[in-house]
Protein backbone atom coordinates (compact mmCIF):
# COMPACT_ATOMS: atom_id res chain seq x y z
CA UNK A 1 0.00 0.00 0.00
CA UNK A 2 1.19 3.50 -0.87
CA UNK A 3 2.14 5.79 2.00
CA UNK A 4 -0.15 8.76 2.68
CA UNK A 5 2.48 11.18 1.44
CA UNK A 6 2.94 9.17 -1.78
CA UNK A 7 -0.83 9.40 -2.36
CA UNK A 8 -0.75 13.16 -1.69
CA UNK A 9 2.06 13.58 -4.24
CA UNK A 10 0.19 11.44 -6.78
CA UNK A 11 -2.90 13.64 -6.40
CA UNK A 12 -0.80 16.75 -6.97
CA UNK A 13 0.95 15.23 -10.00
CA UNK A 14 -2.40 14.20 -11.51
CA UNK A 15 -3.53 17.77 -12.00
CA UNK A 16 -0.27 19.26 -13.31
CA UNK A 17 -1.26 18.65 -16.98
CA UNK A 18 -4.46 20.69 -16.46
CA UNK A 19 -2.55 23.61 -14.91
CA UNK A 20 0.54 23.86 -17.11
CA UNK A 21 -1.14 25.85 -19.88
CA UNK A 22 -2.16 28.60 -17.43
CA UNK A 23 1.52 29.41 -16.82
CA UNK A 24 3.47 30.62 -19.86
CA UNK A 25 6.66 30.81 -17.76
CA UNK A 26 7.31 27.03 -17.62
CA UNK A 27 10.42 27.43 -15.48
CA UNK A 28 8.55 29.28 -12.73
CA UNK A 29 5.68 26.78 -12.86
CA UNK A 30 8.07 23.84 -12.49
CA UNK A 31 9.88 25.52 -9.61
CA UNK A 32 6.58 26.28 -7.87
CA UNK A 33 5.46 22.65 -8.22
CA UNK A 34 8.73 21.37 -6.83
CA UNK A 35 8.31 23.73 -3.83
CA UNK A 36 4.81 22.34 -3.27
CA UNK A 37 6.02 18.74 -3.39
CA UNK A 38 7.61 19.04 0.05
CA UNK A 39 6.74 20.75 3.33
CA UNK A 40 8.60 23.96 4.11
CA UNK A 41 9.43 22.74 7.63
CA UNK A 42 9.13 19.49 9.52
CA UNK A 43 9.97 19.60 13.22
CA UNK A 44 10.32 16.47 15.33
CA UNK A 45 11.29 15.81 18.91
CA UNK A 46 11.18 13.05 21.47
CA UNK A 47 9.08 14.33 24.37
CA UNK A 48 9.71 12.84 27.79
CA UNK A 49 7.16 13.10 30.60
CA UNK A 50 6.90 11.71 34.11
CA UNK A 51 4.20 9.06 34.52
CA UNK A 52 2.19 8.78 37.73
CA UNK A 53 4.11 5.62 38.68
CA UNK A 54 7.27 7.74 38.91
CA UNK A 55 8.83 6.35 35.71
CA UNK A 56 9.66 8.44 32.66
CA UNK A 57 8.29 7.74 29.18
CA UNK A 58 9.19 9.23 25.81
CA UNK A 59 6.92 9.89 22.83
CA UNK A 60 7.88 10.94 19.31
CA UNK A 61 6.22 14.21 18.24
CA UNK A 62 6.01 16.03 14.90
CA UNK A 63 4.81 19.28 13.32
CA UNK A 64 4.80 19.63 9.56
CA UNK A 65 4.35 23.06 7.95
CA UNK A 66 3.62 22.46 4.29
CA UNK A 67 3.24 25.86 2.65
CA UNK A 68 2.51 29.38 3.89
CA UNK A 69 2.34 31.31 0.62
CA UNK A 70 -1.36 32.20 1.27
CA UNK A 71 -1.13 32.78 5.04
CA UNK A 72 -0.13 31.19 8.35
CA UNK A 73 0.06 27.40 8.50
CA UNK A 74 -3.16 25.86 9.86
CA UNK A 75 -3.91 22.32 10.94
CA UNK A 76 -4.72 19.93 13.73
CA UNK A 77 -2.66 17.89 16.16
CA UNK A 78 -3.48 14.19 16.44
CA UNK A 79 -2.59 11.76 19.21
CA UNK A 80 -2.53 8.22 17.79
CA UNK A 81 -0.26 5.16 17.77
CA UNK A 82 -0.12 5.20 13.96
CA UNK A 83 1.07 8.82 13.64
CA UNK A 84 4.25 9.10 11.56
CA UNK A 85 6.29 11.80 9.91
CA UNK A 86 5.00 10.60 6.53
CA UNK A 87 1.39 10.92 7.69
CA UNK A 88 1.71 14.44 9.14
CA UNK A 89 3.49 15.56 5.96
CA UNK A 90 0.60 14.26 3.83
CA UNK A 91 -2.04 15.74 6.10
CA UNK A 92 -0.28 19.13 6.10
CA UNK A 93 -0.29 19.15 2.29
CA UNK A 94 -4.01 18.29 2.21
CA UNK A 95 -4.63 21.17 4.64
CA UNK A 96 -2.93 23.56 2.19
CA UNK A 97 -5.41 22.51 -0.52
CA UNK A 98 -8.42 22.47 1.85
CA UNK A 99 -7.76 26.03 3.05
CA UNK A 100 -7.18 27.21 -0.51
CA UNK A 101 -10.33 25.60 -1.96
CA UNK A 102 -12.60 27.42 0.51
CA UNK A 103 -10.56 30.59 0.22
CA UNK A 104 -9.24 30.78 3.79
CA UNK A 105 -6.08 32.89 4.11
CA UNK A 106 -4.01 29.99 5.43
CA UNK A 107 -1.44 27.46 4.38
CA UNK A 108 -1.39 23.87 5.59
CA UNK A 109 0.09 22.38 8.73
CA UNK A 110 -0.40 19.24 10.80
CA UNK A 111 1.10 17.77 13.94
CA UNK A 112 0.97 14.64 15.95
CA UNK A 113 2.35 12.46 18.71
CA UNK A 114 2.84 8.70 18.50
CA UNK A 115 0.78 7.77 21.55
CA UNK A 116 -2.29 5.81 22.55
CA UNK A 117 -3.98 8.44 24.73
CA UNK A 118 -6.27 5.81 26.27
CA UNK A 119 -3.19 4.42 28.04
CA UNK A 120 -2.48 7.74 29.82
CA UNK A 121 -4.45 9.17 32.72
CA UNK A 122 -5.64 12.78 32.69
CA UNK A 123 -2.57 14.18 34.48
CA UNK A 124 -0.19 12.37 32.12
CA UNK A 125 -2.14 13.55 29.10
CA UNK A 126 -1.94 17.13 30.38
CA UNK A 127 1.84 16.89 30.85
CA UNK A 128 2.28 15.43 27.36
CA UNK A 129 0.06 18.12 25.79
CA UNK A 130 2.00 20.89 27.54
CA UNK A 131 5.35 19.33 26.56
CA UNK A 132 4.15 19.31 22.93
CA UNK A 133 3.13 22.99 23.10
CA UNK A 134 6.54 23.92 24.55
CA UNK A 135 8.23 22.01 21.72
CA UNK A 136 6.32 23.81 18.96
CA UNK A 137 6.02 27.17 20.76
CA UNK A 138 8.89 28.86 18.83
CA UNK A 139 7.24 27.85 15.54
CA UNK A 140 3.59 28.86 16.15
CA UNK A 141 1.59 32.06 16.61
CA UNK A 142 -1.46 33.82 15.09
CA UNK A 143 0.57 34.94 12.08
CA UNK A 144 2.87 31.90 11.91
CA UNK A 145 1.09 28.60 12.51
CA UNK A 146 -2.31 28.03 14.15
CA UNK A 147 -2.87 24.48 15.48
CA UNK A 148 -6.24 22.91 16.29
CA UNK A 149 -7.68 19.59 17.53
CA UNK A 150 -7.66 16.46 15.36
CA UNK A 151 -8.02 12.72 16.06
CA UNK A 152 -8.04 12.11 19.86
CA UNK A 153 -7.39 15.73 20.79
CA UNK A 154 -10.09 18.11 21.98
CA UNK A 155 -10.83 21.53 23.46
CA UNK A 156 -9.35 20.58 26.86
CA UNK A 157 -6.06 19.65 25.18
CA UNK A 158 -6.12 22.97 23.27
CA UNK A 159 -6.65 24.81 26.59
CA UNK A 160 -3.61 23.08 28.15
CA UNK A 161 -1.49 23.77 25.07
CA UNK A 162 -2.56 27.42 24.92
CA UNK A 163 -1.55 27.89 28.56
CA UNK A 164 1.88 26.29 28.05
CA UNK A 165 2.50 28.41 24.94
CA UNK A 166 1.35 31.65 26.60
CA UNK A 167 3.62 30.98 29.60
CA UNK A 168 6.53 30.45 27.23
CA UNK A 169 5.99 33.69 25.29
CA UNK A 170 4.90 35.76 28.31
CA UNK A 171 1.65 37.09 26.87
CA UNK A 172 -1.90 36.05 25.98
CA UNK A 173 -2.32 34.72 22.49
CA UNK A 174 -5.72 33.04 22.07
CA UNK A 175 -5.56 33.30 18.27
CA UNK A 176 -2.63 30.84 18.27
CA UNK A 177 -4.95 27.83 18.79
CA UNK A 178 -8.46 27.15 17.52
CA UNK A 179 -10.96 24.58 18.75
CA UNK A 180 -10.68 26.05 22.25
CA UNK A 181 -13.40 25.93 24.91
CA UNK A 182 -15.89 28.81 24.52
CA UNK A 183 -14.75 30.44 27.80
CA UNK A 184 -11.22 30.66 26.41
CA UNK A 185 -12.26 32.23 23.11
CA UNK A 186 -13.66 29.23 21.23
CA UNK A 187 -16.30 29.91 18.58
CA UNK A 188 -19.96 29.11 18.85
CA UNK A 189 -20.98 26.57 16.22
CA UNK A 190 -17.55 24.87 15.99
CA UNK A 191 -18.75 21.46 17.21
CA UNK A 192 -21.31 21.05 14.43
CA UNK A 193 -19.31 22.93 11.79
CA UNK A 194 -17.84 20.04 9.81
CA UNK A 195 -21.18 18.22 9.49
CA UNK A 196 -23.00 21.48 8.78
CA UNK A 197 -20.52 22.46 6.05
CA UNK A 198 -21.00 19.05 4.41
CA UNK A 199 -24.78 19.46 4.41
CA UNK A 200 -24.38 22.90 2.77
CA UNK A 201 -22.30 21.27 0.01
CA UNK A 202 -24.93 18.56 -0.51
CA UNK A 203 -27.69 21.20 -0.58
CA UNK A 204 -25.76 23.16 -3.23
CA UNK A 205 -25.44 20.01 -5.34
CA UNK A 206 -29.14 19.15 -4.95
CA UNK A 207 -30.20 22.69 -5.81
CA UNK A 208 -27.98 22.75 -8.89
CA UNK A 209 -29.40 19.43 -10.11
CA UNK A 210 -32.94 20.62 -9.30
CA UNK A 211 -33.55 17.63 -7.00
CA UNK A 212 -35.80 17.54 -3.94
CA UNK A 213 -34.21 16.72 -0.55
CA UNK A 214 -37.22 14.69 0.64
CA UNK A 215 -36.72 12.35 -2.32
CA UNK A 216 -33.07 11.74 -1.45
CA UNK A 217 -32.03 8.83 0.77
CA UNK A 218 -28.73 8.95 2.61
CA UNK A 219 -26.55 6.29 4.30
CA UNK A 220 -23.78 7.47 6.62
CA UNK A 221 -20.73 5.52 7.77
CA UNK A 222 -19.64 6.80 11.20
CA UNK A 223 -21.47 8.16 14.22
CA UNK A 224 -18.76 10.42 15.64
CA UNK A 225 -18.74 14.19 15.62
CA UNK A 226 -18.89 14.41 11.83
CA UNK A 227 -21.31 11.54 11.09
CA UNK A 228 -23.74 12.49 13.85
CA UNK A 229 -23.96 16.18 12.96
CA UNK A 230 -24.16 15.49 9.24
CA UNK A 231 -27.06 13.10 9.89
CA UNK A 232 -28.87 15.45 12.25
CA UNK A 233 -28.55 18.54 10.06
CA UNK A 234 -29.32 16.65 6.83
CA UNK A 235 -32.54 15.44 8.43
CA UNK A 236 -33.37 18.98 9.54
CA UNK A 237 -32.80 20.09 5.95
CA UNK A 238 -35.41 17.55 4.78
CA UNK A 239 -33.22 14.69 3.52
CA UNK A 240 -34.11 11.08 4.33
CA UNK A 241 -31.36 9.53 6.45
CA UNK A 242 -32.01 5.78 6.24
CA UNK A 243 -28.83 4.22 7.65
CA UNK A 244 -25.94 5.07 9.95
CA UNK A 245 -23.13 2.98 11.41
CA UNK A 246 -20.46 2.87 14.09
CA UNK A 247 -17.54 0.42 14.19
CA UNK A 248 -19.88 -2.41 15.33
CA UNK A 249 -22.26 -2.09 12.35
CA UNK A 250 -25.23 -0.04 11.21
CA UNK A 251 -28.89 0.70 11.84
CA UNK A 252 -31.34 0.87 8.94
CA UNK A 253 -34.88 2.22 8.57
CA UNK A 254 -36.32 2.68 5.06
CA UNK A 255 -38.68 5.41 6.29
CA UNK A 256 -35.89 7.40 7.97
CA UNK A 257 -34.02 7.03 11.26
CA UNK A 258 -35.03 8.37 14.67
CA UNK A 259 -31.61 9.86 15.40
CA UNK A 260 -32.36 11.05 18.94
CA UNK A 261 -33.53 7.56 19.90
CA UNK A 262 -30.44 6.02 18.28
CA UNK A 263 -28.10 8.46 20.05
CA UNK A 264 -29.69 7.68 23.42
CA UNK A 265 -29.47 3.93 22.77
CA UNK A 266 -25.81 4.23 21.71
CA UNK A 267 -25.04 6.10 24.92
CA UNK A 268 -26.85 3.48 26.99
CA UNK A 269 -25.58 0.30 25.33
CA UNK A 270 -22.20 1.46 24.00
CA UNK A 271 -22.48 0.14 20.43
CA UNK A 272 -25.05 -0.10 17.65
CA UNK A 273 -24.74 -3.91 17.75
CA UNK A 274 -25.87 -3.96 21.41
CA UNK A 275 -28.38 -1.14 20.95
CA UNK A 276 -30.01 -2.95 18.02
CA UNK A 277 -30.55 -6.08 20.15
CA UNK A 278 -32.16 -4.15 23.01
CA UNK A 279 -34.22 -1.66 21.01
CA UNK A 280 -35.19 -3.85 18.04
CA UNK A 281 -33.53 -1.58 15.48
CA UNK A 282 -32.85 -3.21 12.12
CA UNK A 283 -29.14 -4.05 12.28
CA UNK A 284 -26.94 -4.25 9.16
CA UNK A 285 -23.20 -4.84 8.76
CA UNK A 286 -20.85 -2.05 7.73
CA UNK A 287 -20.39 -3.85 4.41
CA UNK A 288 -24.18 -3.83 3.86
CA UNK A 289 -24.30 -0.13 4.63
CA UNK A 290 -21.78 0.68 1.91
CA UNK A 291 -23.75 -1.43 -0.59
CA UNK A 292 -27.20 0.03 0.15
CA UNK A 293 -29.34 1.18 -2.72
CA UNK A 294 -29.40 4.82 -1.59
CA UNK A 295 -28.97 8.11 -3.41
CA UNK A 296 -26.15 9.46 -1.27
CA UNK A 297 -23.40 7.62 0.62
CA UNK A 298 -21.46 9.57 3.24
CA UNK A 299 -18.22 8.01 4.48
CA UNK A 300 -17.65 9.89 7.76
CA UNK A 301 -15.38 7.54 9.67
CA UNK A 302 -12.18 6.17 8.24
CA UNK A 303 -9.45 6.72 5.68
CA UNK A 304 -9.63 4.20 2.83
CA UNK A 305 -13.20 3.03 3.63
CA UNK A 306 -13.98 2.74 -0.08
CA UNK A 307 -11.27 0.76 -1.84
CA UNK A 308 -10.80 -1.29 -5.00
CA UNK A 309 -12.37 -4.33 -3.27
CA UNK A 310 -15.74 -2.75 -2.42
CA UNK A 311 -16.08 0.15 -4.91
CA UNK A 312 -17.73 -1.98 -7.57
CA UNK A 313 -20.61 -2.89 -5.22
CA UNK A 314 -21.54 0.68 -4.39
CA UNK A 315 -24.99 1.66 -5.67
CA UNK A 316 -25.22 5.25 -4.42
CA UNK A 317 -25.32 7.95 -7.08
CA UNK A 318 -23.35 10.51 -5.08
CA UNK A 319 -20.60 10.16 -2.48
CA UNK A 320 -20.12 13.00 -0.01
CA UNK A 321 -16.65 12.50 1.46
CA UNK A 322 -16.80 13.72 5.05
CA UNK A 323 -13.87 11.69 6.40
CA UNK A 324 -10.37 12.59 5.22
CA UNK A 325 -9.26 10.36 2.35
CA UNK A 326 -12.15 7.83 2.54
CA UNK A 327 -11.83 6.82 -1.15
CA UNK A 328 -8.60 5.35 -2.46
CA UNK A 329 -7.44 6.64 -5.89
CA UNK A 330 -8.05 3.14 -7.38
CA UNK A 331 -11.58 3.04 -5.95
CA UNK A 332 -12.35 6.49 -7.31
CA UNK A 333 -11.46 5.34 -10.82
CA UNK A 334 -14.04 2.52 -10.47
CA UNK A 335 -16.70 4.87 -9.07
CA UNK A 336 -16.22 7.46 -11.79
CA UNK A 337 -16.45 4.75 -14.46
CA UNK A 338 -19.80 3.75 -12.98
CA UNK A 339 -20.95 7.37 -13.27
CA UNK A 340 -20.95 8.00 -9.52
CA UNK A 341 -20.30 11.61 -8.49
CA UNK A 342 -17.64 11.93 -5.78
CA UNK A 343 -17.77 15.22 -3.89
CA UNK A 344 -14.25 15.37 -2.44
CA UNK A 345 -13.11 15.64 1.17
CA UNK A 346 -11.12 18.85 0.75
CA UNK A 347 -14.40 20.55 -0.19
CA UNK A 348 -17.02 18.62 1.83
CA UNK A 349 -15.30 18.56 5.23
CA UNK A 350 -13.81 22.06 5.06
CA UNK A 351 -16.56 23.42 7.35
CA UNK A 352 -14.48 22.57 10.41
CA UNK A 353 -11.44 24.57 9.40
CA UNK A 354 -13.70 27.36 8.15
CA UNK A 355 -15.23 27.86 11.59
CA UNK A 356 -11.72 27.53 13.05
CA UNK A 357 -10.85 30.46 10.81
CA UNK A 358 -13.87 32.38 12.18
CA UNK A 359 -12.59 31.61 15.71
CA UNK A 360 -9.19 33.08 14.79
CA UNK A 361 -10.87 36.18 13.30
CA UNK A 362 -12.97 36.62 16.48
CA UNK A 363 -9.88 36.23 18.70
CA UNK A 364 -7.90 38.77 16.67
CA UNK A 365 -10.80 41.22 17.13
CA UNK A 366 -11.42 40.26 20.77
CA UNK A 367 -15.12 39.94 19.87
CA UNK A 368 -17.50 36.99 19.85
CA UNK A 369 -19.92 36.37 16.99
CA UNK A 370 -23.41 34.96 17.47
CA UNK A 371 -24.03 31.39 16.36
CA UNK A 372 -26.36 32.71 13.63
CA UNK A 373 -23.53 34.79 12.18
CA UNK A 374 -21.11 31.84 12.30
CA UNK A 375 -23.57 29.60 10.47
CA UNK A 376 -24.55 32.13 7.85
CA UNK A 377 -20.92 33.01 7.04
CA UNK A 378 -20.13 29.29 6.89
CA UNK A 379 -22.98 28.78 4.43
CA UNK A 380 -21.71 31.60 2.25
CA UNK A 381 -18.17 30.20 2.13
CA UNK A 382 -19.23 26.58 1.47
CA UNK A 383 -21.75 27.58 -1.22
CA UNK A 384 -19.18 29.71 -3.01
CA UNK A 385 -16.55 26.95 -2.87
CA UNK A 386 -19.07 24.46 -4.31
CA UNK A 387 -20.13 26.90 -7.04
CA UNK A 388 -16.54 27.52 -8.15
CA UNK A 389 -15.70 23.80 -8.16
CA UNK A 390 -18.84 23.00 -10.11
CA UNK A 391 -17.97 25.65 -12.72
CA UNK A 392 -14.55 24.06 -13.20
CA UNK A 393 -16.16 20.60 -13.53
CA UNK A 394 -18.28 21.93 -16.39
CA UNK A 395 -15.62 24.08 -18.06
CA UNK A 396 -12.73 21.62 -17.96
CA UNK A 397 -14.72 18.35 -18.04
CA UNK A 398 -12.96 17.04 -14.97
CA UNK A 399 -14.11 15.25 -11.81
CA UNK A 400 -15.10 17.22 -8.71
CA UNK A 401 -11.86 16.18 -7.00
CA UNK A 402 -9.79 17.36 -9.93
CA UNK A 403 -11.76 20.61 -9.98
CA UNK A 404 -11.21 21.23 -6.27
CA UNK A 405 -7.50 20.47 -6.65
CA UNK A 406 -7.20 22.68 -9.72
CA UNK A 407 -8.73 25.63 -7.88
CA UNK A 408 -6.69 25.06 -4.74
CA UNK A 409 -3.30 24.38 -6.30
CA UNK A 410 -3.69 27.29 -8.72
CA UNK A 411 -4.36 29.68 -5.83
CA UNK A 412 -1.24 28.46 -4.00
CA UNK A 413 0.96 28.64 -7.12
CA UNK A 414 -0.29 32.18 -7.86
CA UNK A 415 0.53 33.28 -4.30
CA UNK A 416 3.96 31.64 -4.55
CA UNK A 417 4.75 33.43 -7.81
CA UNK A 418 3.33 36.79 -6.67
CA UNK A 419 5.47 36.63 -3.55
CA UNK A 420 8.51 36.02 -5.72
CA UNK A 421 9.36 32.74 -4.05
CA UNK A 422 10.26 31.21 -7.41
P1 LIG B 1 -14.89 10.46 15.73
O1 LIG B 1 -13.77 9.74 16.39
O2 LIG B 1 -15.74 11.39 16.53
O3 LIG B 1 -15.90 9.40 15.06
C1 LIG B 1 -15.50 8.34 14.24
C2 LIG B 1 -16.71 7.42 14.06
O4 LIG B 1 -16.36 6.41 13.12
C3 LIG B 1 -17.16 6.69 15.30
O5 LIG B 1 -18.57 6.68 15.34
C4 LIG B 1 -16.67 5.26 15.09
O6 LIG B 1 -17.50 4.29 15.74
C5 LIG B 1 -16.84 5.17 13.60
N1 LIG B 1 -16.06 4.07 13.03
C6 LIG B 1 -14.81 3.66 13.31
N2 LIG B 1 -14.52 2.57 12.58
C7 LIG B 1 -15.60 2.32 11.81
C8 LIG B 1 -15.92 1.32 10.85
N3 LIG B 1 -15.06 0.37 10.52
N4 LIG B 1 -17.12 1.39 10.26
C9 LIG B 1 -18.03 2.32 10.58
N5 LIG B 1 -17.79 3.28 11.49
C10 LIG B 1 -16.60 3.26 12.09
O7 LIG B 1 -14.23 11.20 14.49
P2 LIG B 1 -14.79 12.47 13.69
O8 LIG B 1 -14.27 13.71 14.30
O9 LIG B 1 -16.24 12.30 13.47
O10 LIG B 1 -14.01 12.31 12.31
C11 LIG B 1 -14.43 11.39 11.30
C12 LIG B 1 -13.62 11.64 10.05
O11 LIG B 1 -13.82 13.00 9.62
C13 LIG B 1 -12.11 11.48 10.17
O12 LIG B 1 -11.61 11.01 8.93
C14 LIG B 1 -11.62 12.90 10.39
O13 LIG B 1 -10.25 13.06 9.99
C15 LIG B 1 -12.56 13.65 9.48
N6 LIG B 1 -12.69 15.07 9.79
C16 LIG B 1 -13.13 15.48 11.00
C17 LIG B 1 -13.29 16.83 11.25
C18 LIG B 1 -13.84 17.32 12.56
O14 LIG B 1 -14.09 18.53 12.66
N7 LIG B 1 -14.09 16.47 13.54
C19 LIG B 1 -12.95 17.78 10.26
C20 LIG B 1 -12.51 17.33 9.02
C21 LIG B 1 -12.39 15.97 8.79
Amino acid sequence: MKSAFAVALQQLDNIIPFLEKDYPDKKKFKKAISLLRKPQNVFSKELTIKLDNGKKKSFMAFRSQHNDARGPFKGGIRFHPSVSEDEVKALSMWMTWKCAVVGLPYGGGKGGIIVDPKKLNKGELKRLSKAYAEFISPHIGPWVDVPAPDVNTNEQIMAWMLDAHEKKIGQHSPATFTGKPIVLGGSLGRTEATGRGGVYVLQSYVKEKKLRPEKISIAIQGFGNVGFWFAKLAQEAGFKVVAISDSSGGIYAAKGLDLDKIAKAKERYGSFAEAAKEEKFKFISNKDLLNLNVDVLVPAALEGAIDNKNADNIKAKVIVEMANGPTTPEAEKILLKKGIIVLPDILCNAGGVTVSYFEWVQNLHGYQWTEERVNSELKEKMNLAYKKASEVVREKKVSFRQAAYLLAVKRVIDATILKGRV
Side-chain angles (χ1 to χ4, degrees):
M1 207 173 102
K2 274 198 185 115
S3 79
F5 193 60
V7 171
L9 285 178
Q10 187 189 341
Q11 289 166 335
L12 174 60
D13 290 341
N14 280 348
I15 53 117
I16 291 176
F18 296 98
L19 277 175
E20 262 167 341
K21 42 190 171 303
D22 292 350
Y23 296 92
D25 188 337
K26 298 293 163 225
K27 233 175 163 180
K28 271 195 179 161
F29 176 72
K30 268 196 170 161
K31 276 190 184 166
I33 292 289
S34 69
L35 261 188
L36 294 179
R37 288 178 63 81
K38 47 187 186 298
Q40 283 175 222
N41 307 303
V42 182
F43 305 104
S44 60
K45 191 178 179 196
E46 199 169 58
L47 305 175
T48 304
I49 58 156
K50 208 168 166 189
L51 301 178
D52 277 7
N53 63 13
K55 289 187 183 149
K56 285 188 172 169
K57 197 166 161 87
S58 299
F59 302 88
M60 211 47 221
F62 309 94
R63 181 78 185 163
S64 171
Q65 298 176 331
H66 175 251
N67 184 282
D68 71 345
R70 299 182 62 262
F73 304 105
K74 180 93 193 79
I77 299 163
R78 63 173 56 176
F79 286 4
H80 199 274
S82 70
V83 163
S84 66
E85 186 169 315
D86 180 275
E87 186 188 61
V88 293
K89 279 166 61 183
L91 290 162
S92 68
M93 186 188 277
W94 286 325
M95 280 304 292
T96 301
W97 313 142
K98 195 181 295 188
C99 293
V101 83
V102 270
L104 308 180
Y106 289 137
K110 204 76 171 195
I113 304 182
I114 305 175
V115 59
D116 182 353
K118 288 189 207 98
K119 293 195 175 140
L120 299 182
N121 65 34
K122 198 170 176 190
E124 292 163 344
L125 196 58
K126 178 169 93 176
R127 291 197 285 284
L128 184 61
S129 302
K130 292 205 174 212
Y132 184 86
E134 283 169 16
F135 147 54
I136 57 166
S137 186
H139 314 294
I140 59 174
W143 296 103
V144 183
D145 181 355
V146 184
D150 193 74
V151 177
N152 291 329
T153 53
N154 54 26
E155 57 176 41
Q156 172 61 80
I157 290 177
M158 293 306 109
W160 289 330
M161 287 189 178
L162 175 67
D163 187 57
H165 172 65
E166 288 179 337
K167 284 211 169 103
K168 199 108 183 137
I169 62 170
Q171 58 176 278
H172 286 278
S173 187
T176 301
F177 288 87
T178 61
K180 301 180 295 294
I182 303 283
V183 288
L184 295 178
S187 179
L188 296 168
R190 173 63 186 88
T191 311
E192 311 87 316
T194 306
R196 191 182 291 280
V199 172
Y200 289 149
V201 170
L202 178 60
Q203 283 178 310
S204 294
Y205 174 82
V206 163
K207 200 170 157 199
E208 188 183 74
K209 301 286 167 205
K210 301 193 171 46
L211 302 169
R212 283 171 47 203
E214 64 277 15
K215 298 260 181 221
I216 293 173
S217 56
I218 305 181
I220 300 168
Q221 182 194 53
F223 196 65
N225 170 284
V226 177
F228 172 76
W229 282 108
F230 186 96
K232 186 104 186 122
L233 297 165
Q235 244 182 16
E236 276 177 29
F239 293 94
K240 206 158 86 175
V241 179
V242 297
I244 195 155
S245 66
D246 68 5
S247 52
S248 73
I251 293 175
Y252 176 81
K255 286 190 178 148
L257 298 171
D258 182 342
L259 286 168
D260 290 334
K261 194 171 167 199
I262 290 173
K264 271 195 203 122
K266 162 101 176 161
E267 210 176 302
R268 182 149 178 221
Y269 303 108
S271 72
F272 282 175
E274 287 308 310
K277 274 188 226 154
E278 303 292 335
E279 302 274 347
K280 311 255 179 303
F281 294 131
K282 182 165 186 220
F283 187 68
I284 56 172
S285 70
N286 254 306
K287 196 172 153 213
D288 293 339
L289 181 129
L290 293 178
N291 298 344
L292 281 174
N293 194 1
V294 286
D295 299 301
V296 177
L297 177 65
V298 183
L302 306 167
E303 274 166 43
I306 302 173
D307 59 19
N308 55 355
K309 291 184 207 83
N310 59 20
D312 209 25
N313 299 324
I314 286 176
K315 297 178 193 70
K317 299 176 190 78
V318 181
I319 307 234
V320 178
E321 289 189 337
M322 292 304 293
N324 281 315
T327 313
T328 66
E330 293 73 26
E332 186 169 19
K333 275 189 202 146
I334 300 171
L335 298 174
L336 295 177
K337 233 177 163 176
K338 286 168 60 125
I340 297 173
I341 304 287
V342 182
L343 300 176
D345 49 2
I346 59 166
L347 172 67
C348 295
N349 71 26
V353 68
T354 302
V355 175
S356 268
Y357 161 65
F358 296 157
E359 179 176 338
W360 176 80
V361 170
Q362 292 170 72
N363 294 154
L364 290 176
H365 286 227
Y367 182 80
Q368 189 167 54
W369 295 1
T370 62
E371 196 166 345
E372 290 69 32
R373 176 162 180 199
V374 171
N375 293 344
S376 92
E377 301 231 7
L378 173 64
K379 188 172 191 172
E380 204 176 295
K381 283 233 169 280
M382 300 304 294
N383 288 357
L384 184 67
Y386 175 86
K387 189 168 163 258
K388 294 259 176 221
S390 176
E391 277 166 17
V392 176
V393 168
R394 278 193 303 276
E395 278 163 21
K396 306 224 178 219
K397 311 256 176 293
V398 291
S399 70
F400 259 99
R401 190 182 318 277
Q402 284 170 319
Y405 265 76
L406 278 174
L407 281 170
V409 177
K410 187 169 182 350
R411 286 172 184 163
V412 182
I413 294 179
D414 289 349
T416 303
I417 293 175
L418 281 167
K419 281 189 163 171
R421 290 185 179 188
V422 290

